[in-house]
Amino acid sequence: MEYYKTILTDNNNIEYNYYPKYNLLLPKEIDLSNSSYSEKIAFFLSKLQPKTVSDNRLKEGIRRRIGSVRKIVLELSQDCNLKCRYCVYSGRFISERKHSKKYMNIKMAKLSIDYFLNWIEKNKRINYNPEFFTVGYYGGEPLKNYEVLKESLIYARKRFSNERGNSAILNFDMTTNGLLLDKEKIDFLASNNVRIVISLDGPLEIQNKNRGKGTYEILFDKLLYIYENYPEYYKKHVDYSIVYVPDTDMKQIREYFSKEIFESCSRLNLGHVKTIYSSLKYPENGKNEKEVTIEIREKMNHGEKLTKIEQQIWKYHFGFGLNSLTIRDKGGYGAFCILGEKSIYITVDGEFQACEKIGQGFGIGSLVKGFNFKRIEELERERIRLTQKCKNCLIQSICVACTAFVGFNGKIVLEEYCKQAISDFKRRVSDYLEYQKS
C-alpha cells in the first residue's frame, strides 16, 4: 500500500506514516499486515474511495459558470484615507497599483448595474433558485465616494424591482475601514441592510501600529454607536476583518475580540498578512501565538464553548484537519476558481477584474467589450498545466493557493507560495498531532 514514509513527527517524536489514497494516518510501528489490525482496517478501507475532481471546465463549462455569476463589485475609489503598513496598494508590492485619486462616477456605476441586469437576462436559461444577487462596494475606501454609493444603491433597487419583480432578492455589501462613517451614513446603510465588513486589527496598540496613529480612537466610537443604536442591524449585518501581522501579540487579539461587542456581531474573520512579492518581512511565529492555541485546545478538551475569535485563531493556526488530507487523482488543486465565476469586479474605469483580491494583469473584459473569454480560457489552461505537479504534493488537498496569492504580472507563479505553504504546514503539524492525541 502506497504511503509517505515517516513524513509526520509529533512533539513526542512518534513518527507517522500517511496513506494518501485512503486518507489514513497511522504510527510507524503499526503494521497493516498484522492480524490485530487487519480486519478493522480492511473494513474501514472498504468504505473509502479516492477522491477525484473533474477537469471538465473549459469553453462551454467556463461560459456556463460565468453565466451564473450573481455578484458585481464596484470599485468606487482607488483613493484611501489610510496608509496601512501592509496594504497591497502601499507601493511595497511588486506589480500592484498604488492608491490614486481616481473615483467611479455615477454614470459608470449605473452602466455597471445595467450590464449586470442584462447579463442575468441573457443567461436566464440558468435556473436561479432563489433569485439571489449582490452588489458590492470596494476601494480604496468606498466611503470616499459616498454619494455615488448612495445613488447607485437606490438605482439598483429600482432597476431590479422593475426588471425582476418581487422574485429577486438583492443584497448589498461594503468593505470599509469605517473612519468616514457618521450618523447619516450609518442610518442609510442600516435602513438598506447593507452588510459592512469593517477592518479592525485589534486594541489601540495593534490597530494604530497597523493602520495609523489615532485610527482606533476614531473608529471605536463609531462601532459603539452602531452597536448601541442599531442592535439588530449590528447583529445581522456587521462583520469584522482582522489582519494578523506576526509581529503583534495574539494574546492581546484574543482578549480584545472576546468582548461582548464583538461576540454580538454577525461574523469575525481572521486573516494573515500577505507578503509574497513584496518588501514586507515579519517573524515566522507570532508573539504568544502557540501559547494561545494551547489555551484554546484546553478549552476544547474540557468541552467549553469557544468565542468567535478563538474559533478563528484555531482555524488560522492549523488551517487543516487530518481528515481533510485526501489525495485528488486529477485536477482541482488549490483553491483556484475560474476567473469571473464568483463575481465581476468592475474598476473605476469600467474594466473587469476577477475579484477585488486579484492584482493587475488579470483583466477579463470591460463594460464596453464584455467578457474576454479567450483570456479566461488561456488562464484556466495555464492553471491546469502548472498544477499537474501538485498531484504528488503532501498538502495538495488543503492548499488554498488561488490567483490572488500566486498571480504576478498577469501570470500564475507557484514556486514561492508552494515553498511557504509546505514550510508552514510542517511547522504546525506537530502541534496538531499533539492535540489529536490529547
Side-chain angles (χ1 to χ4, degrees):
M1 183 182 294
E2 180 187 0
Y3 63 90
Y4 294 130
K5 294 183 179 179
T6 61
I7 57 163
L8 306 174
T9 304
D10 67 17
N11 291 343
N12 291 326
N13 292 319
I14 296 176
E15 295 180 329
Y16 291 76
N17 289 334
Y18 176 59
Y19 298 79
K21 186 174 183 180
Y22 300 102
N23 186 28
L24 190 63
L25 184 77
L26 294 173
K28 181 182 177 182
E29 59 268 22
I30 292 181
D31 181 1
L32 290 186
S33 63
N34 188 303
S35 58
S36 63
Y37 300 107
S38 58
E39 185 176 343
K40 289 182 179 180
I41 290 177
F43 175 79
F44 174 70
L45 296 183
S46 71
K47 300 295 182 182
L48 296 177
Q49 294 294 330
K51 185 175 181 180
T52 60
V53 177
S54 173
D55 194 31
N56 186 25
R57 306 202 304 179
L58 285 173
K59 293 192 174 178
E60 288 305 314
I62 287 175
R63 284 164 172 77
R64 183 175 64 253
R65 285 171 178 257
I66 294 178
S68 65
V69 67
R70 299 188 182 200
K71 180 175 183 177
I72 59 168
V73 180
L74 305 186
E75 183 186 66
L76 290 185
S77 167
Q78 290 188 358
D79 193 10
C80 190
N81 52 327
L82 295 183
K83 296 188 183 204
C84 303
R85 63 182 177 131
Y86 49 68
C87 180
V88 294
Y89 307 130
S90 63
R92 298 185 181 94
F93 286 78
I94 304 170
S95 84
E96 292 286 358
R97 69 167 176 83
K98 298 179 183 179
H99 287 306
S100 72
K101 297 295 182 181
K102 296 175 73 173
Y103 299 87
M104 179 177 283
N105 59 41
I106 188 59
K107 180 180 178 181
M108 188 71 73
K110 289 181 177 180
L111 282 173
S112 301
I113 292 163
D114 291 343
Y115 184 92
F116 188 33
L117 270 164
N118 291 336
W119 185 254
I120 293 168
E121 179 63 23
K122 182 179 179 180
N123 292 277
K124 63 183 178 182
R125 67 186 186 282
I126 298 172
N127 182 27
Y128 293 98
N129 188 22
E131 289 199 329
F132 182 92
F133 307 101
T134 303
V135 175
Y137 296 104
Y138 203 77
E141 172 50 54
L143 289 178
K144 288 198 67 120
N145 200 3
Y146 173 68
E147 290 304 319
V148 170
L149 184 156
K150 182 178 179 180
E151 189 175 342
S152 65
L153 186 152
I154 294 169
Y155 178 79
R157 279 213 185 280
K158 184 176 179 180
R159 282 297 318 272
F160 268 79
S161 177
N162 291 340
E163 298 288 332
R164 312 301 296 178
N166 295 328
S167 62
I169 301 171
L170 181 60
N171 291 320
F172 299 90
D173 63 43
M174 174 184 68
T175 301
T176 175
N177 60 49
L179 269 67
L180 298 179
L181 288 168
D182 56 33
K183 291 182 180 181
E184 178 196 344
K185 295 184 181 70
I186 291 168
D187 186 65
F188 177 79
L189 296 169
S191 63
N192 283 280
N193 288 326
V194 178
R195 177 176 293 278
I196 54 174
V197 182
I198 300 173
S199 302
L200 175 65
D201 294 345
L204 186 148
E205 178 185 344
I206 294 175
Q207 170 75 2
N208 286 355
K209 179 177 182 179
N210 287 350
R211 297 180 174 271
K213 186 177 179 180
T215 58
Y216 177 84
E217 295 88 335
I218 297 170
L219 179 59
F220 190 76
D221 285 343
K222 300 174 187 293
L223 304 182
L224 196 59
Y225 177 80
I226 303 173
Y227 174 68
E228 292 177 345
N229 293 277
Y230 300 87
E232 285 302 309
Y233 172 70
Y234 184 88
K235 183 179 179 180
K236 296 178 180 179
H237 298 288
V238 174
D239 300 349
Y240 290 95
S241 175
I242 308 159
V243 177
Y244 173 57
V245 186
D247 64 358
T248 57
D249 192 335
M250 182 66 87
K251 186 175 181 180
Q252 289 184 15
I253 291 172
R254 178 198 181 191
E255 290 175 352
Y256 180 74
F257 285 106
S258 292
K259 295 177 179 179
E260 175 58 29
I261 187 173
F262 301 113
E263 276 295 285
S264 298
C265 75
S266 173
R267 183 167 50 196
L268 289 178
N269 181 66
L270 178 69
H272 60 83
V273 67
K274 180 179 176 181
T275 58
I276 293 177
Y277 308 126
S278 78
S279 60
L280 300 177
K281 301 292 180 185
Y282 299 111
E284 190 175 68
N285 293 299
K287 185 177 179 182
N288 289 320
E289 183 179 330
K290 187 170 183 179
E291 290 79 357
V292 168
T293 56
I294 291 173
E295 291 173 3
I296 294 173
R297 181 182 70 190
E298 290 301 311
K299 284 188 68 173
M300 295 171 70
N301 288 344
H302 287 90
E304 298 178 39
K305 183 180 178 180
L306 300 185
T307 64
K308 287 178 179 176
I309 188 60
E310 287 171 341
Q311 293 173 31
Q312 287 293 308
I313 292 170
W314 187 255
K315 179 181 176 182
Y316 169 87
H317 186 71
F318 292 118
F320 64 89
L322 293 176
N323 62 348
S324 65
L325 292 173
T326 304
I327 283 293
R328 299 175 178 179
D329 288 346
K330 49 186 175 181
Y333 306 121
F336 292 92
C337 66
I338 293 172
L339 301 189
E341 71 170 319
K342 293 184 177 180
S343 67
I344 311 170
Y345 184 78
I346 305 178
T347 70
V348 294
D349 298 318
E351 300 294 318
F352 292 174
Q353 297 283 346
C355 79
E356 64 274 15
K357 296 179 181 178
I358 296 178
Q360 296 184 119
F362 289 91
I364 55 172
S366 69
L367 288 172
V368 175
K369 297 181 180 180
F371 282 102
N372 184 346
F373 284 105
K374 181 179 179 181
R375 172 62 172 157
I376 296 169
E377 289 169 15
E378 288 174 353
L379 289 167
E380 182 65 2
R381 288 193 185 96
E382 182 69 357
R383 191 276 305 169
I384 293 170
R385 183 185 71 81
L386 290 172
T387 56
Q388 287 306 300
K389 65 181 181 181
C390 302
K391 64 177 63 177
N392 296 316
C393 179
L394 168 64
I395 64 167
Q396 54 141 273
S397 66
I398 60 169
C399 179
V400 295
C402 74
T403 308
F405 292 132
V406 301
F408 180 70
N409 274 338
K411 296 181 180 179
I412 297 172
V413 183
L414 294 173
E415 287 74 14
E416 186 65 26
Y417 178 85
C418 295
K419 180 181 176 182
Q420 181 175 313
I422 293 171
S423 173
D424 190 56
F425 172 78
K426 289 180 177 178
R427 178 169 59 88
R428 298 177 189 273
V429 74
S430 291
D431 290 343
Y432 189 85
L433 289 172
E434 190 68 19
Y435 161 70
Q436 291 289 84
K437 289 166 54 183
S438 62

